[in-house]
Each structure stands twice: as C-alpha cells, then as structure tokens.
Amino acid sequence: MHLSLALAVSALLFGIGVYGLLARRNAIAVLMAVELMLNAANLDLVAFDAWWRDQLHAGQSFALFVVVIAAAEVGVGLAIVLAVFRLRETVAVDSLTELADRDPVLAHVDYTTDEEVVGQMSHTP
C-alpha cells in the first residue's frame, strides 16, 4: 500500500470531521466529528509507522494512546450531553448559552446602539 493513499484517505476523513464540527448543531454529531478527526490522525500514525518500518512501533503505540484518550473523551462528552439534555431537553449546541462569558447585569440589555450600552453601563451598581 502506498503512503499517499493512506494520507489521502486520512485527509478526507479529517476534512469530513472539520466540516461536521463547524456545520453541525447537534452535540452528538459534534462528538462524532471529533472522533473522525482523531481516527484520521490514527491512520496517519499507523501509515507512517509502516512506511518507516519502525522497530519500536512508536506510531502504533501513539495510535493506541489516542484511542484510549478518545474513549475517555466520548465517555465524558456523552455524560455532559445527557446531563444537558435532562436539564434543557435539547442537545443543540447553539441554544446552550448558560456557560457563556456574559455580564449578568447587562444580560437583559438589547445592544442596538452604543449610547444605550454606555448609558446602561454607567447606571449599574
């Protein structure tokens, strides 16, 4: 097997993962996209390990490490998704703004003009 074939498949998998990460709003689909990107990296690690005929099989060892980390990431990610679903009854990433970095005093202000924002900020305690 040629190295360029493995690299092309890996680039395709990584591209699909990036698209899924940027375009999807469902948290489960985002986790699946991250897994695709990690599997693309694993394919690269194993392909380069086979290409260089490494005696220590460092690429395969790193790929195994990535698989273990990915399994832990999926476990924690799904636990968070389930907790959020129980609390909010949605897994849409865009609607989850509770952990956003916002000022609680100015959360109700409609930012239509700069003068209103400055006026609201000057009257806050």
Side-chain angles (χ1 to χ4, degrees), residues 105-120:
V105 176
L106 299 176
H108 66 282
V109 177
D110 182 22
Y111 296 106
T112 54
T113 63
D114 291 336
E115 291 82 20
E116 291 177 12
V117 173
V118 171
Q120 288 288 335

Side-chain angles (χ1 to χ4, degrees), residues 39-50:
N39 284 330
N42 278 343
L43 182 60
D44 280 341
L45 288 170
V46 172
F48 279 116
D49 183 55

Side-chain angles (χ1 to χ4, degrees), residues 65-117:
F65 181 72
V66 170
V67 166
V68 169
I69 295 299
E73 176 253 336
V74 165
V76 171
L78 286 177
I80 290 171
V81 167
L82 285 174
V84 167
F85 182 75
R86 286 181 182 172
L87 184 65
R88 297 284 174 221
E89 295 182 358
T90 183
V91 291
V93 179
D94 291 342
S95 65
L96 303 174
T97 58
E98 208 162 280
L99 295 178
D101 187 24
R102 295 185 183 158
D103 188 8
V105 176
L106 299 176
H108 66 282
V109 177
D110 182 22
Y111 296 106
T112 54
T113 63
D114 291 336
E115 291 82 20
E116 291 177 12
V117 173

Side-chain angles (χ1 to χ4, degrees), residues 7-23 33 36-37 40:
L7 293 179
V9 171
S10 174
L12 180 69
L13 281 176
F14 195 84
I16 292 170
V18 168
Y19 173 75
L21 188 69
L22 296 176
L36 269 178
M37 293 179 357

